[in-house]
Amino acid sequence: MPDAVRAMVLEAFGAPLGERVFGLPEPGPGSLLVRVLAAGVCGSDLHIVSGRDPRVPLPLIPGHEIVGEVLAAAPGRIDVFGKPLAAGELVAFSRGVTCGRCVYCAVRQTPALCPQRKTYGINMSCADAPYLNGGYAEVVYVRPESEVFPLPSDLDPVGLVAATCSGATAAHAVELAGVKLGDVVVVIGPGPLGQYAAALARETGAREVVVIGTGRNPTSLRLAEAGGFVPVDLSQTEPADRLALVRGLSEGRGADVVLDCAGTTESLAEALALVGPGGVVALPGVAAPMASVGIDPYDLSRRQIRLQGVWVSEPRHLWQALQVASAMRYPLDAMVTHVLPLTAANEALRLLRDRQAVKVVLTPD
Amino acid sequence: MPDAVRAMVLEAFGAPLGERVFGLPEPGPGSLLVRVLAAGVCGSDLHIVSGRDPRVPLPLIPGHEIVGEVLAAAPGRIDVFGKPLAAGELVAFSRGVTCGRCVYCAVRQTPALCPQRKTYGINMSCADAPYLNGGYAEVVYVRPESEVFPLPSDLDPVGLVAATCSGATAAHAVELAGVKLGDVVVVIGPGPLGQYAAALARETGAREVVVIGTGRNPTSLRLAEAGGFVPVDLSQTEPADRLALVRGLSEGRGADVVLDCAGTTESLAEALALVGPGGVVALPGVAAPMASVGIDPYDLSRRQIRLQGVWVSEPRHLWQALQVASAMRYPLDAMVTHVLPLTAANEALRLLRDRQAVKVVLTPD
Amino acid sequence: MPDAVRAMVLEAFGAPLGERVFGLPEPGPGSLLVRVLAAGVCGSDLHIVSGRDPRVPLPLIPGHEIVGEVLAAAPGRIDVFGKPLAAGELVAFSRGVTCGRCVYCAVRQTPALCPQRKTYGINMSCADAPYLNGGYAEVVYVRPESEVFPLPSDLDPVGLVAATCSGATAAHAVELAGVKLGDVVVVIGPGPLGQYAAALARETGAREVVVIGTGRNPTSLRLAEAGGFVPVDLSQTEPADRLALVRGLSEGRGADVVLDCAGTTESLAEALALVGPGGVVALPGVAAPMASVGIDPYDLSRRQIRLQGVWVSEPRHLWQALQVASAMRYPLDAMVTHVLPLTAANEALRLLRDRQAVKVVLTPD
Amino acid sequence: MPDAVRAMVLEAFGAPLGERVFGLPEPGPGSLLVRVLAAGVCGSDLHIVSGRDPRVPLPLIPGHEIVGEVLAAAPGRIDVFGKPLAAGELVAFSRGVTCGRCVYCAVRQTPALCPQRKTYGINMSCADAPYLNGGYAEVVYVRPESEVFPLPSDLDPVGLVAATCSGATAAHAVELAGVKLGDVVVVIGPGPLGQYAAALARETGAREVVVIGTGRNPTSLRLAEAGGFVPVDLSQTEPADRLALVRGLSEGRGADVVLDCAGTTESLAEALALVGPGGVVALPGVAAPMASVGIDPYDLSRRQIRLQGVWVSEPRHLWQALQVASAMRYPLDAMVTHVLPLTAANEALRLLRDRQAVKVVLTPD
């Protein structure tokens, strides 16, 4: 049991993270100390460290994608299946901490919308007890409210960690979009969110999944192809080609569901062009404020299109993503192009910012 | 049994309808002759006669809202409940004629999207057999494919006729929006579509229904109030007042569902302002091409809003609307401000165009 | 603020409840003291005091149907809408206390099935701190996990209290049965559960609700009639009459949904006889072990019937029941045939056991 | 184009089928002549030829599982995607012919329950025009109402033909059971229905599928294993073993869904034992009248179980089954253990009756 815990801390927006050492706390009632084995560097971490996300308190240990092993557990602390958690167990947990008892949590059963929702590594400062509130650290303190999911010990934490944010959000999008057996699905944006969206749409019954990307990082589309999806390179095709492709796969109708995992003005326009009558366009990829987008209400009505916002995810989505990642039917682990030690977190952020990486994961030094 | 049938015919867009006389056909196999007892003048009829609806073939007998009595039925012609139809029976029928066997009708079960869908009084010319294809006539010829609903003989066709289009479309919107027990619902636009939307939302479980109107025709908001809804006059309130009202009724959240029955740029902006987190904005009111509208994808995502297009209606919606109208729990019949003889159809259209009427219905001379 | 709290306590199964006095505790973090203004005597209380419910620990303060006013609240204790609770406020709260974070609560979102679920007045002994764990008392101690719903101060607690158990369970049944706009619904058993089931089915869109009862207590069927439902007296009709009635209301099909609120061998057989093709029979009325019932799998298959178990209720159902009771569109408050002081709890149980009462409510002495 | 068509005809229940020759009709308006390339011998054909199915008119050409090629099509006859059908095209079509316009077809959208539903090879006698009404023939006459699905010309009709009945019914069961992403599913009965049920459950998101069989025909369980499912041999295991297995796969809960494809008293008891709290038992396997089965209403309620009847299938289920069979991700074609010429139909029925075959298919001589 270590008595000091290293963490990478954001002290000022735009400045590099600095290494700090914290004391190892005792887990309070219902709580858990988890040794971080893999901390994913999420695209939204770039917004967080740069100050574009207005909710972030300083100082902060970033990192909301975490797989780790139990270091210590309060007596009687159980996982979601009711089993007491023991030291050494491999676990993941909900990145969002919700109140569980408000109208959104308990009445509408949409905890993603809980007004008290807090997220490890995003809006829980390391100035506040129990301090170890983010994943860019050797240890994270997991609160009593956090749903904890056990994982088979033979799984690779690095390959799995993207399930805890991108995977779960993708599962939420697939659920809200209502993907059904036999659907033709288009995923725009082949990053971690899109890779999971494609896999989860396929698992939910999609017969064809088209994955559209810019081709700037060729690994992304190669992974999509290896997963059994139809890769489309934006830089090699015209809009009319893509429409023809999607219609060709769908007996002329257009996509039943488009999952816009890019979240740009252009991707939304593309999504509305590719969706067919009665279809759904879901927006899991919008993570920061953006410009207004013009839509055609008559087209939405005439073709009975649904445009569906998607916000973060809920515990069942994490479980679904972990299951699909664990089953290894898709090369989801192969999207990790870079594994760096925790103390190289600044370099990890740079790799992502410069689009050299598909996914970067931090591991203990 | 008459041997000549009078009808009001559109020969040229923008010109007045002219009276014409047709011979009375025999009902072919599976068909029905229905004496028109009430023909509603729908808002969309204004688009049709002016030529703004590009699908309209000439010459045309307008009129897609019809309640009538069976004049003659092919042997064995049954209603949706399997009962043979007999002369003298009061009936309504689906205004849309669908193929029943395509991917939209039979596989996706969304006949509203059937590519072969035709509508009495809209895109079935009176130049084509069996000619009597619209409601502005003494008799309408009902095809074998049309779902026929029997009505209690003591109901007033005039008070009921708006159920066949506005009512059914409102039911479709309520269904697609997923109104649930306990929801707070806002209806924008207090015309026939909005009056039915309010009633059907209430019937599906809405605990509060707010109806917003311009107040140009004071009858509309008075009817909403008489129906048990909360009337709001746009001309007497500011956006902030309306938001405060809706939030006050919903413990601060905003509306669970907004049914935009006005279908304008302004109403859609209002709808998006009034809807709460996790809510739905449905668009049953967009009946003709309109300008693009700017939406904020981040807001849609962050609050997990759903924007839902709604196109016409399906047989179950007609049945739902007829049931609710028949049960007389709302003053839906009172929205008929003007009843005119068939041959006064031009005057009826004028009353609607000048917004003097809430609903105009044509009856036999 | 009282410093002593009277309660009626079950010390031995089958013995009368005895009066005991408890000290008034301080509300711990997140907790609430609620002065009981109305405690409903539920049919299941008869099983509890007689020992037929195997889960009951002794000693016990019975009473799981409670409406009261806040006596004292821990600082920052909020209701489900996020508003801090203040002394004097009228409230109801979930009778079941669930963990909120297990696979049933957080992943499957069916907290009714939470293995850790405990219920005030049923399986929380008054031997265990904080002691005041049931409704047959002057004060109840409401735990941090309990979802608290504010009520308008002008409502009558006595008329409302059945919403907290019968009403909520009925809402659960209506939801699981999937009552839809236009359905024909049959409710078997016109007690409090059935009265709420009828009202909630109607609110969710049922066009006709038939309520079947034994007629032993004529008030029940009179209330059903006053609520706008079709009352049927088992003692005055034959099975064939009832089938003919239901078919007559449903164009020959049979009921779309049967809510069996009686939970006997006979009522289940009646339910399966009255339900139509594609229909649902839901079982909210089975509260204690009973004999096996024979069903015909071919009939279930051929007519595609769904038989749906229903267990207790979840927070949204409580909210729905409270809303419907508050709106006063049905004479739900009139089912309270007897109001007795707390210390007359034994007499209250007797009135219910002897079927002299439809609903008995205890109020402060 | 042949001018005579051979068919195998049932003239008397219990007697062997006899060969008969019919003239080749012209396809009437909207109709189609299809050359039968593969006719599946379904388990229910055993009931039909023996007279245990009371609906069967004589004489009858049995055979309701058909894949064939278009021989001649009425002008303008289109498939479900709106494409005109041409001679030589490979097709399947709905085995049930429904009215399309009744309350079940058009209002409730459950055409499986259409009172006018007729099925090729089951209740359409070859004494009635157009005579060629079953699959045990060289040519089948496909009516205007039948939904026709085009198939890629490179697919093997023999491997695909079970999709048209077993596959479609399995898809219906999976849909009615509501299989969701991450579910643990048990299939009882590893025949054609069960093989499809397992594949379709997996396609809809099941993470584990257990297939239980008697082991009488070892091919069945081998196929299940080859499909990626967990095979369980009833003859090698005790009920407690099976419960332990299912609980082990489901974190202790039991199955989320059990698809009882055997339809016996024993299989239903097994299903109710293996299903977990909140789960569903669906009954697609009950095809003929059987004895009453005792169920425990308290258990159903306490664990909130759903028992769901399933009757035949609807066009979307056929499409789903055809898609999954076409995608070749499961060894569904390998279940065909015997291919015989049409004129060996009696031998084919014997092989199935004696349980020597998993699936027998007839092909042109």
Side-chain angles (χ1 to χ4, degrees), chain A residues 81 171 174 180-182 200 202-207 250-251 253 319-320 323-324 327 329-330, chain D residues 81 171 174 180-182 200 202-207 250-251 253 319-320 323-324 327 329-330:
Chain A
F81 302 115
V174 164
K180 296 177 308 299
L181 187 52
L200 286 153
R202 178 70 196 79
E203 288 286 305
T204 310
R207 68 177 149 113
S250 58
E251 301 91 30
R253 290 192 307 282
W319 179 233
Q320 292 169 340
Q323 288 297 317
V324 169
R329 282 185 291 261
Y330 308 91
Chain D
F81 303 115
V174 164
K180 296 177 307 299
L181 187 53
L200 286 153
R202 178 69 196 81
E203 288 286 305
T204 310
R207 68 177 149 113
S250 58
E251 301 91 30
R253 289 193 306 283
W319 179 231
Q320 292 170 339
Q323 288 296 317
V324 169
R329 282 184 292 260
Y330 309 90

Side-chain angles (χ1 to χ4, degrees), chain B residues 81 171 181-182 200 202-207 251 253 319-320 323-324 329, chain C residues 81 171 181-182 200 202-207 251 253 319-320 323-324 329:
Chain B
F81 303 115
L181 186 53
L200 287 154
R202 178 71 197 81
E203 287 286 305
T204 310
R207 68 175 149 115
E251 301 92 29
R253 289 194 307 283
W319 179 233
Q320 292 170 338
Q323 289 296 317
V324 170
R329 284 184 291 261
Chain C
F81 303 116
L181 186 54
L200 286 154
R202 178 69 197 80
E203 287 286 305
T204 310
R207 68 178 150 113
E251 301 91 28
R253 290 193 305 284
W319 180 232
Q320 291 168 340
Q323 288 296 317
V324 169
R329 282 184 291 261

Side-chain angles (χ1 to χ4, degrees), chain D residues 289-307:
Chain D
M290 58 181 280
S292 165
V293 173
I295 59 154
D296 175 351
Y298 181 69
D299 178 53
L300 240 62
S301 296
R302 179 65 191 84
R303 301 197 301 144
Q304 204 161 280
I305 303 299
R306 174 150 65 96
L307 191 56

Side-chain angles (χ1 to χ4, degrees), chain C:
Chain C
M1 186 83 63
D3 55 339
V5 177
R6 284 189 298 173
M8 298 301 288
V9 175
L10 179 72
E11 305 274 2
F13 295 118
L17 307 182
E19 190 179 325
R20 261 178 61 180
V21 173
F22 293 82
L24 186 76
E26 287 289 308
S31 296
L32 212 58
L33 296 179
V34 168
R35 197 162 79 85
V36 180
L37 298 178
V41 179
C42 182
S44 62
D45 288 345
L46 298 174
H47 299 300
I48 287 164
V49 300
S50 68
R52 284 195 300 272
D53 187 328
R55 298 162 310 160
V56 175
L58 294 180
L60 181 85
I61 306 171
H64 55 272
E65 298 188 351
I66 301 165
V67 171
E69 70 178 17
V70 176
L71 195 64
R77 178 45 149 117
I78 55 181
D79 66 20
V80 296
F81 303 116
K83 204 167 52 66
L85 285 157
E89 201 162 345
L90 195 67
V91 294
F93 53 92
S94 299
R95 67 193 189 285
V97 179
T98 58
C99 83
R101 308 295 174 183
C102 71
V103 64
Y104 293 101
C105 286
V107 177
R108 307 214 151 240
Q109 297 188 303
T110 53
L113 302 175
C114 173
Q116 299 191 58
R117 187 176 185 272
K118 292 211 167 303
T119 307
Y120 293 97
I122 296 184
N123 52 355
M124 293 155 70
S125 170
C126 63
D128 303 322
Y131 315 110
L132 297 171
N133 294 325
Y136 289 14
E138 290 176 324
V139 174
V140 63
Y141 187 103
V142 179
R143 305 192 176 206
E145 299 90 342
S146 293
E147 298 86 3
V148 177
F149 294 87
L151 297 169
S153 59
D154 59 346
L155 290 178
D156 174 18
V158 167
L160 208 59
V161 76
T164 64
C165 171
S166 298
T169 301
H172 198 186
V174 164
E175 179 188 281
L176 282 171
V179 173
K180 295 177 307 301
L181 186 54
D183 276 358
V184 173
V185 174
V186 170
V187 172
I188 306 179
L193 183 63
Q195 299 287 340
Y196 266 97
L200 286 154
R202 178 69 197 80
E203 287 286 305
T204 310
R207 68 178 150 113
E208 297 284 356
V209 181
V210 174
V211 177
I212 300 177
T214 60
R216 273 182 298 211
N217 189 321
T219 307
S220 301
L221 289 177
R222 270 207 307 270
L223 283 171
E225 187 163 24
F229 314 127
V230 181
V232 175
D233 189 331
L234 271 171
S235 69
Q236 307 287 319
T237 52
E238 293 299 315
D241 301 333
R242 298 191 291 272
L243 185 56
L245 172 78
V246 173
R247 289 200 171 154
L249 292 169
S250 58
E251 301 91 28
R253 290 193 305 284
D256 297 302
V257 170
V258 182
L259 302 167
D260 177 2
C261 297
T264 65
T265 305
E266 294 74 24
S267 64
L268 180 49
E270 174 94 6
L272 288 167
L274 295 179
V275 72
V280 182
V281 172
L283 301 178
V286 181
M290 58 182 280
S292 165
V293 173
I295 59 156
D296 175 351
Y298 181 69
D299 179 53
L300 241 61
S301 296
R302 179 65 192 85
R303 300 196 300 144
Q304 204 162 279
I305 302 299
R306 174 149 66 95
L307 190 57
Q308 175 70 60
V310 179
W311 186 245
V312 301
S313 66
E314 306 188 343
R316 70 189 172 287
H317 307 125
L318 172 56
W319 180 232
Q320 291 168 340
L322 288 170
Q323 288 296 317
V324 169
S326 304
M328 302 283 189
R329 282 184 291 261
Y330 309 91
L332 294 165
D333 52 345
M335 75 172 82
V336 181
T337 49
H338 298 76
V339 180
L340 274 72
L342 168 61
T343 47
N346 290 307
E347 168 67 3
L349 288 163
R350 191 196 61 75
L351 284 165
L352 200 65
R353 193 181 298 117
D354 296 350
R355 295 177 184 270
Q356 291 180 256
V358 177
K359 183 80 198 172
V360 192
V361 176
L362 302 175
T363 55
D365 285 23

Side-chain angles (χ1 to χ4, degrees), chain A residues 69-91:
Chain A
E69 70 178 16
V70 176
L71 196 64
R77 178 43 150 117
I78 55 180
D79 65 21
V80 296
F81 302 115
K83 205 165 53 65
L85 285 157
E89 202 162 345
L90 195 66
V91 294

Side-chain angles (χ1 to χ4, degrees), chain D residues 4 24 32 35 42 95 98 118 128 138 140 154 184 193 196 200 209-210 215 244 278 303 307 313 319 322 356:
Chain D
L24 186 77
L32 211 60
R35 198 162 78 86
C42 182
R95 67 193 188 285
T98 58
K118 292 212 170 302
D128 302 323
E138 290 175 324
V140 62
D154 58 346
V184 173
L193 183 62
Y196 266 98
L200 286 153
V209 181
V210 175
R303 301 197 301 144
L307 191 56
S313 66
W319 179 231
L322 289 170
Q356 290 180 256

